[in-house]
Amino acid sequence: MGEMRVVELSASTIVAVNALSLRPGQEQFVAPVSYSVAAAVTNPATTWQRVVLDGDDVVGFVQGNFDHEGMDEYFQSVLWRINVDADAQRQGVGKFAVDALAAEARERGFKHINVMYEPGEGGPEQFFLAVGFSPVDETEYGEVVGQLNM
Ligand SMILES: CC(C)(COP(=O)(O)OP(=O)(O)OC[C@H]1O[C@@H](n2cnc3c(N)ncnc32)[C@H](O)[C@@H]1OP(=O)(O)O)[C@@H](O)C(=O)NCCC(=O)NCCS
């Protein structure tokens, strides 16, 4: 991995972001149910999205939601989506993206970010634990709620 940076989603990167690939077995972990439920009440104005570039190459995407007034506490400061291209995984891109999200959360006055994930083989659990999230709760859909304190 060369010099990484995060940039806003734009017309020139959106196609590459939509084309980010997954490793076999990862599909089932990408969209936990809680996010689909929350999407119905989430205001697009509270969304924060960034593309991770390695040089000029799109290697990842991260989306958060920040809303001090949000009805669901876990969604007030939350990692909504993270995806690193299959060929770029295990090279620090995911951690770089989480660090960028954490910096944004701090800037907005939050003390932690949350994430909801489905535990299981092939899923993102080991990644979230490795970058500093700790399990704090479980959702009604059996997902783990992880929290990263800053
Ligand atoms: C989860 C994901 C974002 C991780 O991105 P990544 O760029 O591969 O992660 P990093 O290289 O920054 O990994 C940081 C550390 O996390 C841990 N880690 C990451 N992936 C892991 C895995 N599959 N198994 C075990 N540990 C893992 C390691 O400790 C790693 O450090 P190391 O490479 O020095 O061992 C990526 O695998 C992905 O896009 N998955 C598919 C989408 C998804 O499931 N998103 C989450 C939905 S809630």
Side-chain angles (χ1 to χ4, degrees):
M1 220 27 77
E3 183 88 2
M4 282 189 277
R5 62 203 162 102
V6 291
V7 297
E8 289 189 36
L9 194 60
S10 67
S12 63
T13 54
I14 197 160
V15 174
V17 167
N18 285 330
L20 286 172
S21 58
L22 295 167
R23 289 192 178 179
Q26 291 184 328
E27 301 84 4
Q28 70 201 89
F29 296 98
V30 174
V33 176
S34 289
Y35 290 85
S36 308
V37 174
V41 293
T42 299
N43 179 352
T46 62
T47 293
W48 182 88
Q49 298 175 313
R50 289 293 182 275
V51 178
V52 185
L53 295 180
D54 170 29
D56 290 335
D57 295 337
V58 171
V59 289
F61 176 74
V62 62
Q63 179 173 332
N65 185 67
F66 299 115
D67 182 5
H68 285 281
E69 313 299 326
M71 279 173 36
D72 184 326
E73 192 199 324
Y74 290 140
F75 281 93
Q76 290 179 359
S77 173
V78 70
L79 193 170
W80 191 278
R81 188 182 144 194
I82 184 164
N83 188 189
V84 173
D85 191 67
D87 292 337
Q89 290 184 17
R90 298 304 292 264
Q91 296 172 60
V93 178
K95 177 163 175 32
F96 187 80
V98 167
D99 287 348
L101 183 77
E104 180 68 21
R106 262 195 308 272
E107 191 121 312
R108 293 176 183 232
F110 290 101
K111 299 234 171 345
H112 55 248
I113 43 180
N114 304 306
V115 69
M116 274 131 266
Y117 59 85
E118 287 169 22
E121 192 69 26
E125 182 164 36
Q126 294 310 316
F127 166 73
F128 288 129
L129 296 178
V131 299
F133 286 89
S134 304
V136 293
D137 202 357
E138 192 179 303
T139 70
E140 61 186 294
Y141 308 108
E143 301 142 354
V144 177
V145 180
Q147 198 160 81
L148 174 69
N149 293 304
M150 286 102 63

